[in-house]
Amino acid sequence: MAEYGDEIEQKGESFMDKITEKIQRDDSSSSDSDTEKKKKKHDDELKKKHHDVPSPTSSMKSKIYRLFGREKPVHKVFGGGKPADVFLWRNKKISASVLGGATAVWVFFELLEYHLLTLVCHFLILAFAVLFLWSNASKFINKSPPRIPEVRIPEDKFLQIAAGLRNELNQGLDTLRNIASGRDLKKFLGVVAGLWVLSIVGSWCNFLTLFYIIFVLLHTIPVVYEKYEDQVDAFAEKAMIEIKKQYKVFDAKVVSRIPRGPLKDKKRA
């Protein structure tokens, strides 16, 4: 009987030990899960803080110098339409055709020395002769005469174009007046330098050749700049810094010693 009681007591003790061990495991697992939750929450907070802080690469990209203070892509600067596609060679066949046509016109007028007025008159003579003969011959060969379209310039479109040109001309005249009145020395020096360069280029070639050179540059420089814009912008930034330094020296030694005009004195007073 005593042995039976001892056996029951041992079984009871082993049962209590198992319950105690299970409780300890549950406590340890719950504490581990709480620790993992806290760690995960801490990591999430760190990720959120890291996400809120702007990365150095994004801040560097926002501070990249662009030529002429450009904020839009090159395609948008040129209007973003078909002319921009032509200048930036989005369609190589069309761009090559336009450039080839301009080259043919330049060769025709400049190298072959064919005059524009003569070409226009000869073209009109040929067109009128063909249409006149076709209209009269159609009666004898039983064919329909040529349909010549009736061309009319819309009044509203013409007025819009005229108003736009008028506004541009007025702005240009106001700019020239401000430059001539001595209000902005930088613009004055820029205009003088530009006119001086144009006078030198004009002594080398005529207006048609100059127009053709500008046309070729518009078809080459933008596409090259778009391809190497990072390198060009970095070089332009260094050049602008150096130009500003030299201008400060020039301003201190020369410009500051020039007596101010009456317009500036009245404006400051």
Side-chain angles (χ1 to χ4, degrees):
M1 194 73 181
E3 292 178 357
Y4 182 73
D6 293 337
E7 185 177 354
I8 292 174
E9 187 177 355
Q10 289 177 358
K11 287 183 178 180
E13 289 177 357
S14 63
F15 181 72
M16 291 299 294
D17 291 339
K18 288 181 180 180
I19 292 175
T20 305
E21 185 178 355
K22 188 176 181 181
I23 292 172
Q24 288 178 356
R25 286 180 182 176
D26 293 338
D27 292 339
S28 62
S29 62
S30 62
S31 62
D32 292 339
S33 62
D34 292 339
T35 307
E36 290 178 358
K37 287 181 180 179
K38 290 180 180 178
K39 187 177 180 181
K40 188 177 180 181
K41 186 178 180 181
H42 181 67
D43 293 338
D44 292 338
E45 290 179 355
L46 288 177
K47 287 181 181 179
K48 187 176 180 181
K49 288 181 180 179
H50 181 71
H51 181 72
D52 292 339
V53 176
S55 61
T57 55
S58 63
S59 61
M60 286 292 292
K61 286 182 180 179
S62 62
K63 293 181 181 179
I64 289 177
Y65 174 85
R66 292 302 179 190
L67 195 62
F68 304 117
R70 176 177 60 86
E71 296 180 355
K72 299 179 181 179
V74 181
H75 191 265
K76 292 292 183 182
V77 172
F78 280 90
K82 291 183 179 179
D85 294 338
V86 174
F87 288 132
L88 297 175
W89 291 74
R90 293 289 190 267
N91 191 330
K92 294 183 180 180
K93 291 183 179 180
I94 296 177
S95 300
S97 300
V98 172
L99 187 59
T103 303
V105 170
W106 178 76
V107 170
F108 195 71
F109 287 110
E110 187 65 22
L111 298 184
L112 300 180
E113 296 182 354
Y114 208 84
H115 300 287
L116 178 62
L117 183 60
T118 304
L119 176 65
V120 172
C121 291
H122 286 177
F123 176 77
L124 291 176
I125 290 171
L126 180 63
F128 281 124
V130 169
L131 292 174
F132 181 82
L133 293 175
W134 188 0
S135 298
N136 288 280
S138 61
K139 300 176 182 178
F140 302 99
I141 59 178
N142 295 324
K143 286 189 177 181
S144 60
R147 295 181 179 179
I148 302 173
E150 185 177 354
V151 180
R152 290 286 185 271
I153 299 176
E155 184 178 358
D156 53 348
K157 295 292 183 182
F158 182 79
L159 292 176
Q160 288 178 3
I161 295 172
L165 289 175
R166 184 180 66 85
N167 293 332
E168 294 295 331
L169 287 173
N170 288 335
Q171 289 180 2
L173 292 174
D174 290 338
T175 303
L176 293 175
R177 180 176 176 277
N178 292 331
I179 293 171
S181 61
R183 295 178 181 177
D184 195 335
L185 182 63
K186 290 183 181 180
K187 289 183 179 180
F188 172 75
L189 294 176
V191 170
V192 170
L195 291 175
W196 181 66
V197 171
L198 282 177
S199 66
I200 295 175
V201 175
S203 64
W204 295 342
C205 57
N206 56 17
F207 180 76
L208 180 62
T209 303
L210 179 61
F211 181 80
Y212 174 69
I213 291 172
I214 294 173
F215 191 81
V216 172
L217 291 177
L218 284 174
H219 279 79
T220 52
I221 292 179
V223 66
V224 173
Y225 171 70
E226 188 182 36
K227 188 175 182 180
Y228 304 101
E229 61 177 336
D230 292 334
Q231 294 87 337
V232 174
D233 289 337
F235 178 78
E237 184 179 10
K238 295 178 181 178
M240 287 301 297
I241 292 173
E242 187 63 27
I243 289 172
K244 287 180 180 179
K245 289 181 181 178
Q246 297 299 327
Y247 179 77
K248 286 181 180 179
V249 175
F250 178 76
D251 183 62
K253 292 183 178 181
V254 179
V255 179
S256 60
R257 298 181 181 180
I258 297 175
R260 297 185 181 90
L263 290 174
K264 278 191 174 182
D265 293 337
K266 289 181 180 178
K267 188 177 180 180
R268 295 193 176 186

